Amino acid sequence: MFFKEEFIDSLKADPVAGTIQMVDLVGEVTSASPDWDDNQYDVLVEAYALVIEMLYANILPLASVRTPPSLSSGGTADCGLIWGYLVDIQKACQIEMSNLKVSSLRSRFRTKLGSCFVYEFSQGDLDRVQHLINELRDQISKTKVLEQEHQQRLLHRLEKLQAEMHKKVSDLDRYWGLVGDAGVILAKLGNDAKPLVDRIREIVDIVWRTQSRAEELPSGTRLPSLEDNRHEIAEEV
């Protein structure tokens, strides 16, 4: 196998950047040349299969990509088709990464330059939310119950939320949107939703703690709309 287990595992944490790196690695090995040999074919097919599986499992959150080309010859004649497809996927990932970067920078500059009220996470809370979002992305990618469109929407939402996370933020709207997501997931998955809802609840608890501190509420003030019973999340949405 050309791609090691460690590299494949790393794709879950940052699928967009990882896919860009993967295509670069394939290009270095194959030299992107029309004079393909069997070894280059094996590398290209492995990358082709990996990308398709990432898209099928909704691990790679791209707004739109073209349909994978059908392989016909079963040999090196397919290499050009595969390489062209991988290049298209890489370009889509680069666009996605650029959009996320611009969105993240705008959020930071809006907070720095404006006179708007800001909320500030502790470093420990920020790290914990990042970890919880990674776990959510992994679990959502693995579930077989949610429709692919819903999975894609949730993964894209989590990716944007993660990209815009900073210690100081001008609003918490994206975080509070997770409450609605929890209600929908709970309605669709029932008891199977508990691992997802538990993590969303912990993120919401951290957000509430951050907001109540900024608003100078008494220490330990609970969020009124969320009770200990997880199923009441759906009733509140």
Side-chain angles (χ1 to χ4, degrees):
M1 299 288 287
F2 178 72
F3 297 107
K4 305 298 182 185
E5 293 295 330
E6 295 80 4
F7 178 77
I8 296 175
D9 289 339
S10 71
L11 292 174
K12 295 179 182 178
D14 195 346
V16 175
T19 301
I20 293 173
Q21 180 185 3
M22 176 179 65
V23 178
D24 284 340
L25 291 173
V26 172
E28 291 174 3
V29 172
T30 64
S31 301
S33 168
D35 300 322
W36 314 103
D37 58 33
D38 289 339
N39 289 332
Q40 293 172 329
Y41 171 76
D42 289 341
V43 172
L44 285 163
V45 167
E46 189 175 328
Y48 173 80
L50 181 53
V51 166
I52 291 178
E53 186 57 32
M54 290 173 66
L55 292 169
Y56 178 78
N58 291 311
I59 294 174
L60 187 58
L62 299 178
S64 62
V65 292
R66 70 181 178 93
T67 304
S70 299
L71 307 185
S72 56
S73 69
T76 56
D78 285 327
C79 289
L81 287 175
I82 297 174
W83 176 247
Y85 179 68
L86 293 177
V87 169
D88 286 348
I89 291 292
Q90 186 183 53
K91 289 178 179 177
C93 286
Q94 289 167 338
I95 292 172
E96 178 69 14
M97 180 171 284
S98 295
N99 288 335
L100 288 172
K101 185 173 183 179
V102 169
S103 179
S104 177
L105 288 171
R106 287 187 62 187
S107 178
R108 291 186 67 182
F109 293 152
R110 187 183 309 119
T111 301
K112 293 288 186 181
L113 298 176
S115 57
C116 60
F117 181 80
V118 297
Y119 302 94
E120 184 170 2
F121 290 96
S122 71
Q123 188 59 52
D125 283 345
L126 193 66
D127 293 342
R128 180 59 181 165
V129 172
Q130 289 276 17
H131 177 76
L132 289 167
I133 290 177
N134 284 334
E135 289 187 341
L136 279 171
R137 287 171 60 178
D138 186 52
Q139 291 181 351
I140 290 171
S141 297
K142 291 179 179 178
T143 183
K144 303 297 182 183
V145 180
L146 296 174
E147 300 91 343
Q148 285 195 12
E149 183 179 349
H150 190 194
Q151 280 183 309
Q152 188 76 17
R153 187 166 62 251
L154 288 172
L155 290 169
H156 189 67
R157 182 188 187 110
L158 290 173
E159 184 178 12
K160 291 189 70 174
L161 177 61
Q162 200 166 31
E164 295 178 9
M165 284 189 62
H166 306 288
K167 289 196 68 174
K168 294 182 179 182
V169 294
S170 58
D171 66 69
L172 299 168
D173 293 350
R174 288 191 184 278
Y175 298 93
W176 289 121
L178 290 174
V179 177
D181 290 331
V184 174
I185 292 171
L186 188 56
K188 289 191 174 186
L189 302 187
N191 291 334
D192 292 336
K194 188 177 186 302
L196 296 173
V197 174
D198 283 349
R199 283 160 178 78
I200 291 175
R201 178 185 170 83
E202 186 175 348
I203 292 174
V204 170
D205 285 344
I206 291 172
V207 172
W208 170 247
R209 191 163 63 240
T210 300
Q211 182 167 356
S212 62
R213 184 170 59 245
E215 302 287 355
E216 299 183 353
L217 296 180
S219 179
T221 301
R222 289 175 61 89
L223 178 60
S225 62
L226 291 179
E227 302 297 337
D228 289 337
N229 188 337
R230 301 296 191 265
H231 289 272
E232 293 189 14
I233 293 178
E235 296 173 4
E236 297 291 340
V237 175

